[in-house]
Amino acid sequence: MGNSLMNYLNSRLKEAKAREYGNMHEAGPVITISREVGCNGLVLARLIAERLNKNLAKGSWNVLSKEIFYESAKELDLDPEMVRQTFKKTDRYVFEEILKAFRDKRYKSEERIIKTVKEVVRTLAIDGHCIIVGRASHIIASDIKNALHIRLTAPLGYRINTIMTNNKLNRNEAIAFIEKVEKERATFRKALKENNLHEDVFDITINRGSFTNEQAVDLIEFAVEKKGILHEFSPRIEFH
């Protein structure tokens, strides 16, 4: 984790916590991305941030995903992997017992870990100018007016090929990887007591198999403009 991004997280969280948002119209702007495994969500998120930072006079957009676990772990004084594993275990009782076995001062209940991660996502979404990939962020930030919630999908063949290329796996290994990660994401939502995807929250769904990266960014930039999530924070985007 780069020091610059960690410093960004620390400063943004402190600033956001110092303010109170009684009106969600003041929160954001934030973009959330929910994706099927193999849709290259992080790659697209970074391209979106690059485009927004290039075209806008105000605001510096950052992409956040695994960084959520690092910041949550810092607040909990835990190893980040401990936080990640909390959301991967399907058997909650067994994992709780494993944690208790440590019997040290750093022990935190599973409930507290989950609550902290949710609060970190919520605080960053409220503070705004970030693109949050995954972490059920579209659900956690669903009441924020200045938000764009994106869902990325793709045919299974596209996703298998993407995983094979990115992870250097054969076809069967890629299929197993997709199934494993999808189960982990469902477990994450379940830990937050959100068993379904809440598809009604999404503003736009993009088939990654139908558009290039640049075309997808164009669509998202257009959606950002049309939904008006930036109008209170920066000048209008100038298309070219």
Side-chain angles (χ1 to χ4, degrees):
M1 181 70 57
N3 288 333
S4 59
L5 185 52
M6 286 305 298
N7 290 336
Y8 157 82
L9 279 171
N10 292 335
S11 63
R12 296 293 286 269
L13 282 168
K14 287 178 181 177
E15 290 171 4
K17 287 178 179 178
R19 300 192 297 270
E20 290 188 6
Y21 287 86
N23 187 340
M24 284 300 100
H25 285 249
E26 302 172 9
V30 61
I31 296 173
T32 71
I33 297 179
S34 170
R35 75 283 191 217
E36 291 182 313
V37 180
C39 285
N40 275 338
L42 276 171
V43 171
L44 188 62
R46 293 183 182 119
L47 291 173
I48 296 166
E50 182 180 333
R51 177 77 65 85
L52 291 175
N53 286 331
K54 177 182 178 181
N55 290 354
L56 299 178
K58 294 174 62 179
S60 178
W61 289 77
N62 285 271
V63 176
L64 303 172
S65 184
K66 64 182 179 180
E67 292 81 9
I68 302 294
F69 289 136
Y70 280 87
E71 185 58 37
S72 301
K74 180 182 176 184
E75 294 204 6
L76 291 162
D77 189 26
L78 288 176
D79 186 290
E81 187 58 27
M82 184 69 74
V83 177
R84 289 173 61 91
Q85 288 299 323
T86 301
F87 292 92
K88 288 186 177 182
K89 298 297 181 180
T90 56
D91 190 331
R92 316 238 62 84
Y93 173 77
V94 171
F95 187 62
E96 188 77 12
E97 292 305 305
I98 292 173
L99 278 175
K100 288 179 180 177
F102 282 92
R103 296 185 182 281
D104 64 22
K105 294 181 180 179
R106 296 205 310 165
Y107 166 74
K108 304 295 187 302
S109 71
E110 187 175 281
E111 182 180 357
R112 182 175 174 187
I113 293 174
I114 293 169
K115 182 175 182 290
T116 299
V117 170
K118 187 174 181 178
E119 287 176 347
V120 168
V121 173
R122 176 76 174 169
T123 302
L124 289 169
I126 288 175
D127 194 47
H129 288 97
C130 61
I131 302 170
I132 306 178
V133 181
R135 315 308 168 209
S137 52
H138 69 287
I139 300 173
I140 296 171
S142 61
D143 63 330
I144 294 178
K145 175 181 178 291
N146 299 303
L148 182 72
H149 304 296
I150 302 166
R151 175 67 173 170
L152 302 179
T153 64
L156 181 59
Y158 174 98
R159 298 191 289 125
I160 290 173
N161 289 335
T162 298
I163 296 300
M164 289 174 64
T165 300
N166 292 351
N167 299 60
K168 294 180 170 49
L169 302 175
N170 63 40
R171 181 178 176 82
N172 289 336
E173 290 171 336
I175 292 172
F177 179 89
I178 289 172
E179 292 175 348
K180 174 177 175 290
V181 176
E182 290 290 9
K183 287 180 180 178
E184 289 175 352
R185 290 179 182 174
T187 300
F188 186 100
R189 292 193 300 271
K190 186 176 180 181
L192 296 175
K193 296 180 170 43
E194 298 289 351
N195 293 325
N196 62 63
L197 191 58
H198 291 263
E199 295 187 15
D200 57 313
V201 172
F202 299 123
D203 297 300
I204 181 173
T205 298
I206 297 176
N207 184 339
R208 294 288 276 131
S210 299
F211 302 97
T212 65
N213 283 340
E214 184 175 0
Q215 290 170 338
V217 173
D218 287 342
L219 288 172
I220 292 165
E221 186 178 33
F222 181 77
V224 165
E225 167 68 9
K226 288 303 178 182
K227 193 175 182 187
I229 69 171
L230 304 180
H231 67 92
E232 295 180 4
F233 303 91
S234 56
R236 293 169 60 88
I237 298 172
E238 294 184 3
F239 294 95
H240 51 273

